[in-house]
Amino acid sequence: MTDLATGPPQSGSQAGRRPETIKAVPVRHPWRWVSTVVVLAIVADVVYTVATAPDLQWEQVGKYLFGPLILQGIVVTSHDSPAL
């Protein structure tokens, strides 16, 4: 019978010897770093554009963002969410 931990029974000079240890080399992911830099640059550009937009009326943004219906929707959503 084959034991999953030790493999099939061996005979001869291989009996009782352990296999060589595997030298694990971490895999490099350079494109992850490149994509991270690209995404951060896009996010920074969007934040800069919104923050410096001359025609953006911050009073209106605050009025709609913190309106009673929006806040009520946040409360209802947060109570129905299984993650919280």
Coordinates of all heavy atoms in Angstrom, one line a residue:
M1 N 0.8 -1.2 0.0 CA 0.0 0.0 0.0 C 0.9 1.2 0.0 O 1.9 1.3 0.6 CB -0.9 -0.1 1.2 CG -1.8 1.1 1.3 SD -2.9 0.8 2.8 CE -4.3 1.6 2.2
T2 N 0.5 2.3 -0.7 CA 1.2 3.5 -0.8 C 0.8 4.5 0.3 O -0.4 4.8 0.4 CB 1.0 4.2 -2.2 OG1 1.4 3.2 -3.2 CG2 1.9 5.4 -2.3
D3 N 1.8 5.0 1.0 CA 1.5 6.0 2.0 C 1.7 7.4 1.4 O 2.8 7.6 0.7 CB 2.5 5.8 3.2 CG 2.2 6.8 4.3 OD1 1.1 7.5 4.3 OD2 3.0 6.9 5.3
L4 N 0.7 8.3 1.5 CA 0.8 9.6 0.8 C 2.0 10.4 1.3 O 2.6 11.2 0.6 CB -0.5 10.3 1.0 CG -1.7 9.7 0.2 CD1 -2.9 10.6 0.5 CD2 -1.4 9.6 -1.3
A5 N 2.3 10.2 2.6 CA 3.4 11.0 3.2 C 4.8 10.6 2.7 O 5.7 11.4 2.6 CB 3.3 11.0 4.7
T6 N 5.0 9.3 2.5 CA 6.3 8.8 2.2 C 6.4 8.3 0.8 O 7.5 8.1 0.3 CB 6.7 7.7 3.2 OG1 5.8 6.6 3.0 CG2 6.8 8.1 4.6
G7 N 5.3 8.1 0.1 CA 5.4 7.6 -1.3 C 5.4 6.1 -1.4 O 5.2 5.4 -0.4
P8 N 5.7 5.6 -2.5 CA 5.7 4.1 -2.7 C 6.9 3.5 -2.0 O 7.9 4.2 -1.8 CB 5.8 3.9 -4.2 CG 6.4 5.2 -4.7 CD 5.9 6.3 -3.8
P9 N 6.8 2.3 -1.6 CA 8.0 1.6 -0.9 C 9.1 1.5 -1.9 O 9.0 1.3 -3.1 CB 7.5 0.2 -0.6 CG 6.1 0.1 -1.1 CD 5.7 1.4 -1.7
Q10 N 10.3 1.8 -1.4 CA 11.5 1.8 -2.2 C 12.4 0.6 -1.8 O 12.4 0.2 -0.6 CB 12.3 3.1 -2.1 CG 11.5 4.3 -2.5 CD 12.2 5.6 -2.4 OE1 13.3 5.6 -1.8 NE2 11.6 6.7 -2.9
S11 N 13.2 0.2 -2.7 CA 14.1 -0.9 -2.4 C 15.5 -0.5 -2.9 O 15.8 0.5 -3.6 CB 13.7 -2.2 -3.1 OG 13.7 -2.0 -4.5
G12 N 16.5 -1.3 -2.4 CA 17.9 -1.0 -2.9 C 18.5 0.1 -2.1 O 18.3 0.4 -0.9
S13 N 19.3 0.9 -2.9 CA 20.1 2.0 -2.2 C 19.2 3.2 -1.8 O 19.7 4.0 -1.1 CB 21.2 2.5 -3.2 OG 20.6 3.0 -4.3
Q14 N 18.0 3.3 -2.4 CA 17.1 4.4 -2.0 C 16.3 4.2 -0.8 O 15.7 5.1 -0.3 CB 16.2 4.7 -3.2 CG 16.9 5.2 -4.5 CD 17.5 6.5 -4.3 OE1 17.0 7.4 -3.6 NE2 18.7 6.7 -4.9
A15 N 16.3 3.0 -0.3 CA 15.4 2.7 0.9 C 15.9 3.4 2.1 O 17.1 3.4 2.4 CB 15.5 1.2 1.2
G16 N 15.0 4.1 2.8 CA 15.4 4.8 4.0 C 16.0 6.1 3.8 O 16.2 6.8 4.8
R17 N 16.2 6.6 2.6 CA 16.8 7.9 2.4 C 15.7 8.9 2.1 O 14.7 8.6 1.5 CB 17.8 7.8 1.2 CG 19.0 6.9 1.5 CD 19.9 6.9 0.3 NE 20.5 8.2 0.1 CZ 21.2 8.5 -1.0 NH1 21.3 7.6 -2.0 NH2 21.8 9.7 -1.1
R18 N 16.0 10.1 2.6 CA 15.0 11.2 2.3 C 15.3 11.8 1.0 O 16.5 11.9 0.6 CB 15.1 12.2 3.5 CG 14.7 11.7 4.8 CD 14.7 12.7 5.8 NE 13.5 12.6 6.5 CZ 12.8 13.6 7.0 NH1 13.2 14.8 6.9 NH2 11.6 13.4 7.6
P19 N 14.3 12.3 0.3 CA 14.6 13.0 -0.9 C 15.3 14.4 -0.6 O 15.2 14.9 0.5 CB 13.2 13.2 -1.5 CG 12.3 13.1 -0.4 CD 12.9 12.2 0.6
E20 N 15.9 14.9 -1.6 CA 16.6 16.2 -1.4 C 15.5 17.3 -1.1 O 14.4 17.3 -1.6 CB 17.3 16.6 -2.7 CG 18.5 15.8 -3.0 CD 19.2 16.2 -4.2 OE1 19.2 17.5 -4.5 OE2 19.8 15.4 -4.9
T21 N 15.9 18.3 -0.3 CA 15.0 19.3 0.0 C 14.8 20.2 -1.2 O 15.8 20.4 -2.0 CB 15.5 20.2 1.2 OG1 16.8 20.7 0.9 CG2 15.5 19.3 2.5
I22 N 13.7 20.8 -1.3 CA 13.4 21.7 -2.5 C 13.9 23.1 -2.1 O 13.5 23.6 -1.0 CB 11.9 21.7 -2.8 CG1 11.5 20.3 -3.2 CG2 11.6 22.7 -3.9 CD1 10.0 20.1 -3.4
K23 N 14.6 23.7 -3.0 CA 15.0 25.1 -2.8 C 14.0 26.0 -3.4 O 13.9 26.1 -4.6 CB 16.4 25.4 -3.4 CG 16.9 26.8 -3.1 CD 18.2 27.0 -3.8 CE 18.6 28.5 -3.6 NZ 19.8 28.8 -4.3
A24 N 13.1 26.6 -2.5 CA 12.0 27.4 -3.0 C 12.6 28.8 -3.3 O 13.2 29.4 -2.4 CB 10.9 27.4 -2.0
V25 N 12.3 29.3 -4.5 CA 12.7 30.7 -4.8 C 11.4 31.5 -5.0 O 10.6 31.1 -5.8 CB 13.5 30.6 -6.2 CG1 13.9 32.1 -6.6 CG2 14.8 29.8 -6.0
P26 N 11.3 32.6 -4.3 CA 10.1 33.4 -4.5 C 10.0 33.9 -5.9 O 10.9 34.3 -6.5 CB 10.3 34.5 -3.5 CG 11.7 34.5 -3.1 CD 12.3 33.2 -3.4
V27 N 8.7 33.9 -6.4 CA 8.4 34.4 -7.7 C 8.4 35.9 -7.7 O 7.8 36.5 -6.8 CB 7.1 33.8 -8.2 CG1 6.8 34.3 -9.6 CG2 7.1 32.3 -8.2
R28 N 9.0 36.5 -8.7 CA 9.0 37.9 -8.7 C 7.8 38.4 -9.6 O 7.5 37.7 -10.6 CB 10.3 38.4 -9.3 CG 11.5 37.9 -8.6 CD 12.6 38.9 -8.6 NE 13.8 38.3 -8.0 CZ 14.1 38.3 -6.7 NH1 13.3 38.8 -5.9 NH2 15.2 37.8 -6.2
H29 N 7.2 39.5 -9.2 CA 6.1 40.0 -10.0 C 6.3 41.5 -10.3 O 5.7 42.4 -9.6 CB 4.8 39.9 -9.1 CG 4.5 38.4 -8.8 ND1 4.0 37.6 -9.8 CD2 4.6 37.7 -7.7 CE1 3.8 36.4 -9.2 NE2 4.1 36.4 -8.0
P30 N 7.2 41.8 -11.2 CA 7.5 43.2 -11.5 C 6.3 44.0 -12.1 O 6.1 45.2 -11.8 CB 8.6 43.2 -12.5 CG 8.5 41.8 -13.2 CD 7.9 40.9 -12.1
W31 N 5.4 43.3 -12.8 CA 4.2 44.0 -13.3 C 3.2 44.4 -12.3 O 2.4 45.4 -12.5 CB 3.5 43.2 -14.4 CG 4.4 43.0 -15.6 CD1 5.1 41.9 -16.0 CD2 4.8 44.1 -16.5 NE1 5.8 42.2 -17.2 CE2 5.7 43.6 -17.5 CE3 4.5 45.5 -16.6 CZ2 6.2 44.3 -18.5 CZ3 5.0 46.2 -17.6 CH2 5.9 45.6 -18.5
R32 N 3.3 43.8 -11.1 CA 2.4 44.2 -10.0 C 2.9 45.6 -9.6 O 2.0 46.5 -9.3 CB 2.5 43.3 -8.8 CG 1.7 42.0 -9.1 CD 1.8 41.2 -7.8 NE 1.2 39.8 -8.1 CZ 1.1 38.9 -7.2 NH1 1.6 39.1 -6.0 NH2 0.6 37.7 -7.5
W33 N 4.2 45.8 -9.5 CA 4.7 47.1 -9.1 C 4.4 48.2 -10.1 O 4.0 49.3 -9.8 CB 6.2 47.1 -8.8 CG 6.5 46.3 -7.6 CD1 7.0 45.1 -7.5 CD2 6.3 46.8 -6.2 NE1 7.1 44.7 -6.1 CE2 6.7 45.8 -5.3 CE3 5.8 48.0 -5.7 CZ2 6.7 45.9 -4.0 CZ3 5.8 48.1 -4.3 CH2 6.2 47.0 -3.5
V34 N 4.5 47.8 -11.4 CA 4.2 48.8 -12.5 C 2.7 49.2 -12.4 O 2.4 50.3 -12.5 CB 4.6 48.2 -13.8 CG1 4.1 49.1 -15.0 CG2 6.1 48.0 -13.9
S35 N 1.9 48.2 -12.3 CA 0.4 48.5 -12.3 C 0.1 49.3 -11.0 O -0.8 50.1 -11.1 CB -0.4 47.2 -12.4 OG -0.1 46.3 -11.3
T36 N 0.7 49.0 -9.9 CA 0.5 49.8 -8.7 C 0.8 51.2 -8.9 O 0.0 52.2 -8.5 CB 1.3 49.2 -7.5 OG1 0.9 47.9 -7.3 CG2 1.0 50.0 -6.2
V37 N 2.0 51.5 -9.5 CA 2.4 52.9 -9.8 C 1.4 53.6 -10.7 O 1.0 54.7 -10.5 CB 3.8 52.9 -10.3 CG1 4.2 54.3 -10.9 CG2 4.8 52.5 -9.3
V38 N 1.0 52.9 -11.8 CA 0.0 53.4 -12.7 C -1.3 53.8 -12.0 O -1.9 54.9 -12.2 CB -0.2 52.5 -13.9 CG1 -1.4 52.9 -14.8 CG2 1.1 52.4 -14.7
V39 N -1.8 52.9 -11.2 CA -3.1 53.1 -10.6 C -3.0 54.3 -9.6 O -3.9 55.1 -9.5 CB -3.6 51.8 -9.8 CG1 -4.8 52.1 -8.9 CG2 -4.0 50.8 -10.9
L40 N -1.9 54.3 -8.8 CA -1.7 55.4 -7.9 C -1.6 56.8 -8.6 O -2.1 57.8 -8.1 CB -0.5 55.2 -7.0 CG -0.6 54.1 -6.0 CD1 0.7 53.9 -5.2 CD2 -1.7 54.5 -5.0
A41 N -1.0 56.8 -9.8 CA -0.9 58.0 -10.6 C -2.2 58.5 -11.1 O -2.6 59.7 -11.0 CB 0.1 57.8 -11.8
I42 N -3.1 57.5 -11.5 CA -4.4 57.9 -11.9 C -5.2 58.4 -10.8 O -5.9 59.4 -10.9 CB -5.1 56.6 -12.6 CG1 -4.4 56.3 -13.9 CG2 -6.6 56.9 -12.8 CD1 -4.8 55.0 -14.6
V43 N -5.2 57.7 -9.6 CA -5.9 58.2 -8.5 C -5.5 59.6 -8.1 O -6.3 60.5 -7.8 CB -5.8 57.2 -7.3 CG1 -6.3 57.8 -6.0 CG2 -6.5 55.9 -7.7
A44 N -4.2 59.8 -8.0 CA -3.6 61.1 -7.7 C -4.1 62.2 -8.7 O -4.5 63.3 -8.2 CB -2.1 61.1 -7.6
D45 N -4.2 61.9 -9.9 CA -4.6 62.8 -10.9 C -6.1 63.2 -10.8 O -6.5 64.3 -10.9 CB -4.4 62.3 -12.3 CG -4.7 63.3 -13.4 OD1 -4.3 64.5 -13.3 OD2 -5.5 62.9 -14.3
V46 N -6.9 62.1 -10.5 CA -8.3 62.4 -10.2 C -8.6 63.2 -9.0 O -9.4 64.2 -9.0 CB -9.1 61.0 -10.1 CG1 -10.5 61.2 -9.6 CG2 -9.1 60.3 -11.5
V47 N -7.9 62.9 -7.9 CA -8.0 63.7 -6.7 C -7.6 65.2 -7.0 O -8.2 66.1 -6.5 CB -7.2 63.1 -5.5 CG1 -7.1 64.0 -4.4 CG2 -7.8 61.8 -5.1
Y48 N -6.4 65.4 -7.7 CA -6.0 66.7 -8.0 C -7.0 67.5 -8.8 O -7.3 68.6 -8.6 CB -4.6 66.6 -8.7 CG -4.1 68.0 -9.1 CD1 -3.5 68.9 -8.2 CD2 -4.2 68.4 -10.4 CE1 -3.1 70.1 -8.6 CE2 -3.7 69.6 -10.9 CZ -3.2 70.5 -9.9 OH -2.8 71.7 -10.3
T49 N -7.5 66.8 -9.8 CA -8.5 67.4 -10.7 C -9.7 67.9 -10.0 O -10.2 69.0 -10.2 CB -8.8 66.5 -11.9 OG1 -7.6 66.2 -12.6 CG2 -9.8 67.1 -12.8
V50 N -10.2 67.0 -9.1 CA -11.4 67.3 -8.4 C -11.2 68.4 -7.4 O -12.0 69.4 -7.2 CB -12.0 66.1 -7.7 CG1 -13.1 66.4 -6.7 CG2 -12.5 65.1 -8.7
A51 N -10.0 68.4 -6.7 CA -9.7 69.4 -5.7 C -9.4 70.8 -6.3 O -9.7 71.8 -5.6 CB -8.5 68.9 -4.9
T52 N -8.9 70.8 -7.5 CA -8.6 72.1 -8.1 C -9.6 72.6 -9.2 O -9.3 73.6 -9.8 CB -7.2 72.1 -8.7 OG1 -7.2 71.1 -9.7 CG2 -6.2 71.8 -7.6
A53 N -10.7 71.9 -9.3 CA -11.7 72.3 -10.3 C -12.3 73.6 -10.0 O -12.9 73.8 -8.9 CB -12.8 71.2 -10.5
P54 N -12.1 74.6 -10.9 CA -12.6 75.9 -10.5 C -14.2 76.0 -10.5 O -14.7 76.9 -9.8 CB -12.1 76.8 -11.6 CG -11.8 75.9 -12.8 CD -11.5 74.6 -12.2
D55 N -14.8 75.2 -11.3 CA -16.3 75.3 -11.4 C -17.0 74.4 -10.4 O -18.2 74.3 -10.4 CB -16.8 75.0 -12.8 CG -16.3 76.1 -13.8 OD1 -16.2 77.2 -13.4 OD2 -16.0 75.7 -15.0
L56 N -16.3 73.6 -9.6 CA -16.9 72.7 -8.7 C -17.4 73.5 -7.5 O -16.7 74.2 -6.8 CB -15.9 71.7 -8.2 CG -16.4 70.5 -7.4 CD1 -17.4 69.7 -8.2 CD2 -15.3 69.6 -6.9
Q57 N -18.7 73.4 -7.3 CA -19.4 74.1 -6.2 C -19.4 73.2 -4.9 O -20.3 72.4 -4.8 CB -20.8 74.6 -6.6 CG -20.7 75.5 -7.8 CD -22.1 75.8 -8.4 OE1 -23.1 75.2 -7.9 NE2 -22.2 76.6 -9.4
W58 N -18.5 73.4 -4.1 CA -18.4 72.6 -2.9 C -19.6 72.6 -2.0 O -19.9 71.7 -1.3 CB -17.1 72.9 -2.1 CG -15.9 72.4 -2.8 CD1 -15.0 73.2 -3.5 CD2 -15.5 71.1 -3.0 NE1 -14.0 72.3 -4.1 CE2 -14.3 71.1 -3.7 CE3 -15.9 69.9 -2.5 CZ2 -13.6 69.9 -4.0 CZ3 -15.2 68.7 -2.8 CH2 -14.1 68.7 -3.6
E59 N -20.3 73.8 -2.0 CA -21.5 73.9 -1.2 C -22.5 72.9 -1.7 O -23.2 72.2 -0.9 CB -22.1 75.3 -1.2 CG -21.1 76.4 -0.8 CD -20.2 76.8 -2.0 OE1 -20.6 76.7 -3.1 OE2 -19.1 77.2 -1.7
Q60 N -22.7 72.7 -3.0 CA -23.6 71.8 -3.6 C -23.2 70.4 -3.3 O -24.0 69.5 -3.1 CB -23.8 72.1 -5.1 CG -24.4 73.4 -5.4 CD -25.8 73.5 -4.9 OE1 -26.6 72.5 -4.9 NE2 -26.2 74.7 -4.4
V61 N -21.9 70.1 -3.4 CA -21.4 68.8 -3.1 C -21.8 68.4 -1.7 O -22.3 67.3 -1.5 CB -19.9 68.7 -3.4 CG1 -19.3 67.3 -2.9 CG2 -19.5 68.9 -4.8
G62 N -21.5 69.2 -0.8 CA -21.8 69.0 0.6 C -23.3 68.8 0.8 O -23.8 67.9 1.6
K63 N -24.1 69.6 0.1 CA -25.6 69.5 0.3 C -26.1 68.2 -0.2 O -26.9 67.6 0.5 CB -26.2 70.6 -0.6 CG -27.7 70.6 -0.6 CD -28.2 71.7 -1.5 CE -29.7 71.6 -1.8 NZ -30.2 72.6 -2.7
Y64 N -25.6 67.7 -1.3 CA -26.1 66.4 -1.8 C -25.4 65.2 -1.1 O -26.0 64.2 -0.9 CB -25.9 66.3 -3.3 CG -26.9 67.2 -4.0 CD1 -26.4 68.4 -4.6 CD2 -28.2 66.9 -4.1 CE1 -27.3 69.2 -5.3 CE2 -29.1 67.7 -4.8 CZ -28.7 68.8 -5.4 OH -29.5 69.6 -6.0
L65 N -24.2 65.3 -0.8 CA -23.4 64.2 -0.2 C -23.9 63.9 1.2 O -24.0 62.8 1.7 CB -21.9 64.5 -0.1 CG -21.0 63.4 0.3 CD1 -21.1 62.2 -0.7 CD2 -19.6 63.9 0.3
F66 N -24.3 65.0 2.0 CA -24.7 64.8 3.3 C -26.2 65.1 3.5 O -26.7 65.4 4.6 CB -23.9 65.7 4.3 CG -22.4 65.3 4.3 CD1 -21.5 66.2 3.7 CD2 -22.0 64.1 4.9 CE1 -20.2 65.8 3.7 CE2 -20.7 63.8 4.8 CZ -19.7 64.6 4.2
G67 N -27.0 64.9 2.4 CA -28.4 65.1 2.5 C -29.1 64.0 3.3 O -28.5 62.9 3.5
P68 N -30.3 64.2 3.8 CA -30.9 63.2 4.7 C -31.2 61.9 4.0 O -31.0 60.9 4.7 CB -32.3 63.9 5.1 CG -32.3 65.2 4.5 CD -31.1 65.4 3.7
L69 N -31.5 61.9 2.7 CA -31.8 60.6 2.1 C -30.5 59.8 1.9 O -30.5 58.6 2.1 CB -32.4 60.8 0.7 CG -33.9 61.3 0.7 CD1 -34.4 61.5 -0.7 CD2 -34.7 60.2 1.4
I70 N -29.4 60.5 1.6 CA -28.1 59.8 1.5 C -27.7 59.2 2.8 O -27.3 58.0 2.9 CB -27.0 60.8 0.9 CG1 -27.4 61.3 -0.4 CG2 -25.7 60.1 0.8 CD1 -27.6 60.3 -1.5
L71 N -27.7 60.0 3.8 CA -27.3 59.5 5.2 C -28.3 58.3 5.6 O -27.8 57.4 6.2 CB -27.4 60.6 6.2 CG -26.3 61.7 5.9 CD1 -26.5 62.9 6.9 CD2 -24.9 61.2 5.9
Q72 N -29.5 58.4 5.4 CA -30.5 57.4 5.7 C -30.1 56.1 4.9 O -30.1 55.0 5.5 CB -31.9 57.8 5.4 CG -32.9 56.8 5.8 CD -34.3 57.2 5.5 OE1 -34.5 58.2 4.8 NE2 -35.3 56.5 6.0
G73 N -29.8 56.2 3.7 CA -29.4 55.1 2.9 C -28.1 54.4 3.4 O -28.0 53.2 3.4
I74 N -27.2 55.2 3.9 CA -25.9 54.7 4.4 C -26.3 53.9 5.7 O -25.7 52.8 5.9 CB -24.9 55.8 4.7 CG1 -24.4 56.4 3.4 CG2 -23.8 55.3 5.6 CD1 -23.6 57.6 3.6
V75 N -27.1 54.4 6.5 CA -27.5 53.7 7.8 C -28.2 52.4 7.4 O -27.9 51.4 8.0 CB -28.4 54.6 8.6 CG1 -29.0 53.8 9.8 CG2 -27.6 55.8 9.2
V76 N -29.2 52.4 6.5 CA -29.9 51.2 6.2 C -28.9 50.2 5.6 O -29.0 49.0 5.9 CB -31.0 51.5 5.2 CG1 -31.6 50.3 4.6 CG2 -32.1 52.3 5.9
T77 N -28.0 50.6 4.7 CA -27.1 49.7 4.1 C -26.1 49.1 5.1 O -25.8 47.9 5.0 CB -26.3 50.4 3.0 OG1 -27.2 51.0 2.0 CG2 -25.3 49.5 2.3
S78 N -25.7 49.9 6.0 CA -24.7 49.4 7.0 C -25.4 48.4 8.0 O -24.7 47.5 8.4 CB -24.1 50.5 7.8 OG -25.0 51.2 8.6
H79 N -26.7 48.6 8.2 CA -27.4 47.6 9.1 C -27.7 46.3 8.4 O -27.7 45.3 9.0 CB -28.7 48.2 9.6 CG -28.4 49.2 10.7 ND1 -28.0 48.9 12.0 CD2 -28.5 50.6 10.7 CE1 -27.9 50.0 12.7 NE2 -28.1 51.0 11.9
D80 N -27.8 46.4 7.0 CA -28.2 45.2 6.3 C -26.9 44.4 5.8 O -27.0 43.3 5.3 CB -29.0 45.5 5.0 CG -30.4 46.0 5.4 OD1 -30.8 45.7 6.6 OD2 -31.1 46.6 4.6
S81 N -25.8 45.0 6.0 CA -24.5 44.4 5.5 C -24.1 43.3 6.4 O -23.9 43.5 7.6 CB -23.4 45.4 5.3 OG -22.2 44.9 4.9
P82 N -23.8 42.1 5.9 CA -23.3 41.0 6.7 C -21.9 41.2 7.2 O -21.5 40.5 8.1 CB -23.5 39.7 5.9 CG -23.5 40.2 4.5 CD -24.0 41.6 4.5
A83 N -21.1 42.0 6.4 CA -19.7 42.2 6.8 C -19.5 43.0 8.0 O -18.5 42.9 8.6 CB -19.0 42.8 5.6
L84 N -20.4 43.9 8.3 CA -20.2 44.8 9.5 C -20.8 44.2 10.7 O -21.7 43.7 11.0 CB -20.8 46.1 9.1 CG -20.2 46.9 8.0 CD1 -20.9 48.2 7.7 CD2 -18.7 47.1 8.3

